[in-house]
Amino acid sequence: VQLQASGGGLVQAGGSLRLSCAASGRTFSSSGLGWFRQAPGKEREFVAAISGSGGSLYYTDSVKGRFTISRDNAKNTVYLQMNSLKPEDTAVYFCAADEYGSSWHEGGNYYGMFYWGKGTLVTVSS
């Protein structure tokens, strides 16, 4: 199983980027998928997640109204549309997937991810 994230890059504050994460090795249509990020010198944090059906969406407070997570089960891919980017969004962004819907959202965090991609760097300049 492999998760390959792409779409990172350098953007000015206020700009937009769209991250993609293509999964291979198995079908993830029943899995929760999500995005996490790790800024320099900080711990990895939850950003956004989407249930297997796509009916439940979760976001960390700092990205609500700016980021949108979506999925295309036919392509086994999850996306993160990031608008109104801020310098504090600078981080390596990782995609993740759970095992057949076993992840959950609690207390502003997201738990239970099993598969992780290698990450893509997003740099937002001021």
Side-chain angles (χ1 to χ4, degrees):
V1 174
Q2 186 174 15
L3 301 177
Q4 183 65 53
S6 61
L10 174 63
V11 63
Q12 288 188 331
S16 299
L17 283 175
R18 188 193 193 205
L19 304 184
S20 300
C21 177
S24 59
R26 52 159 278 198
T27 300
F28 285 91
S29 58
S30 60
S31 293
L33 300 173
W35 290 94
F36 295 74
R37 66 187 180 187
Q38 186 167 18
K42 295 187 177 181
E43 294 186 351
R44 187 172 62 193
E45 65 172 352
F46 165 68
V47 177
I50 184 169
S51 63
S53 66
S56 296
L57 307 178
Y58 307 94
Y59 298 95
T60 192
D61 286 345
S62 63
V63 308
K64 286 180 180 177
R66 301 188 298 121
F67 291 10
T68 302
I69 189 170
S70 61
R71 65 189 296 159
D72 185 337
N73 286 342
K75 295 182 178 179
N76 229 17
T77 299
V78 61
Y79 305 97
L80 186 68
Q81 178 66 44
M82 305 186 295
N83 299 328
S84 302
L85 283 161
K86 304 176 180 179
E88 51 263 44
D89 294 318
T90 294
V92 176
Y93 284 71
F94 300 88
C95 58
D98 70 22
E99 280 276 63
Y100 304 109
S102 58
S103 59
W104 70 99
H105 182 254
E106 181 178 349
N109 286 308
Y110 206 82
Y111 303 92
M113 291 306 196
F114 189 80
Y115 301 101
W116 293 86
K118 290 186 177 180
T120 185
L121 177 62
V122 172
T123 303
V124 184
S125 62
S126 57

